[in-house]
Amino acid sequence: MTTPIRILATTLALAATSTAHAVQPLAQHDVVLLQKGEIIEQRVDGGADAMAAYLKTLGAAETETMRANPSQIPSAGFIVVAVRPGNQTRTWFDFKPALAEATMTALRRTVETTPTMTVKSGEIVFALRVSVWSDKPPTAYAPAPQEWKDATKGMKPKPDVDTLVDMVWPQ
């Protein structure tokens, strides 16, 4: 079932993709919700509208960061974001080829300093499916950051996203 937040997030992501023919510093293809829309809706003060505003602000900030880091080779993948109450933010990357260390550092700083929407409880987790300095979208449709793979190696069954985020980002 498609939730209003998913529709809004997808619409915003598609609207943010440039129609120009020049290669953009960052092209956002999709927003991948890593939790049920109902959970995000309950945890975000202001619901879909607040999340859409945050995604728009974050996307613009990330694009400016990439514009300031033109030495990054073309790549595609995911910027995974977790937001907790109190504007606490954490990010992980899953790109092929991998982002340069300087690019990851700059993007991490951008994500962690961009004002978030208000999260009332728990955390919300989503991924931005993007291309940097390329017009080719990632071939994958869901992220698998290396830190997440390392944390769950050998675990059966794999934990849900809330448990996983708590494992790699303890409260």
Side-chain angles (χ1 to χ4, degrees):
M1 181 171 150
T2 303
T3 63
I5 198 164
R6 182 182 303 268
I7 292 168
L8 183 58
T10 302
T11 302
L12 180 63
L14 294 175
T17 304
S18 174
T19 57
H21 294 9
V23 174
Q24 299 297 309
L26 184 137
Q28 187 172 307
H29 303 286
D30 300 309
V31 176
V32 181
L33 300 179
L34 299 176
Q35 297 161 306
K36 291 181 179 179
E38 299 81 35
I39 291 173
I40 292 173
E41 198 62 49
Q42 291 169 0
R43 293 179 181 179
V44 174
D45 190 20
D49 291 341
M51 185 162 181
Y54 172 60
L55 289 171
K56 185 176 181 180
T57 301
L58 183 60
E62 290 169 336
T63 298
E64 288 309 309
T65 297
M66 288 311 304
R67 188 170 279 120
N69 288 275
S71 61
Q72 171 65 48
I73 63 169
S75 186
F78 297 89
I79 301 170
V80 183
V81 180
V83 181
R84 289 183 176 153
N87 205 37
Q88 297 178 68
T89 310
R90 179 77 186 264
T91 191
W92 299 269
F93 303 103
D94 179 14
F95 279 81
K96 299 201 180 24
L99 296 177
E101 193 62 40
T103 302
M104 283 193 297
T105 299
L107 278 173
R108 182 171 284 112
R109 187 176 323 109
T110 295
V111 172
E112 294 177 359
T113 59
T114 299
T116 68
M117 68 253 152
T118 302
V119 175
K120 298 182 280 190
S121 64
E123 62 236 346
I124 61 156
V125 188
F126 61 91
L128 303 174
R129 190 168 166 259
V130 302
S131 300
V132 295
W133 299 111
S134 172
D135 58 358
K136 296 179 183 169
T139 56
Y141 288 94
Q146 189 62 48
E147 188 176 351
W148 290 17
K149 290 181 199 175
D150 293 345
T152 60
K153 188 175 182 178
M155 291 180 75
K156 301 250 189 248
K158 298 294 184 193
D160 64 47
V161 74
D162 284 324
T163 302
L164 175 57
V165 169
D166 287 342
M167 289 170 59
V168 295
W169 185 30
Q171 294 194 35

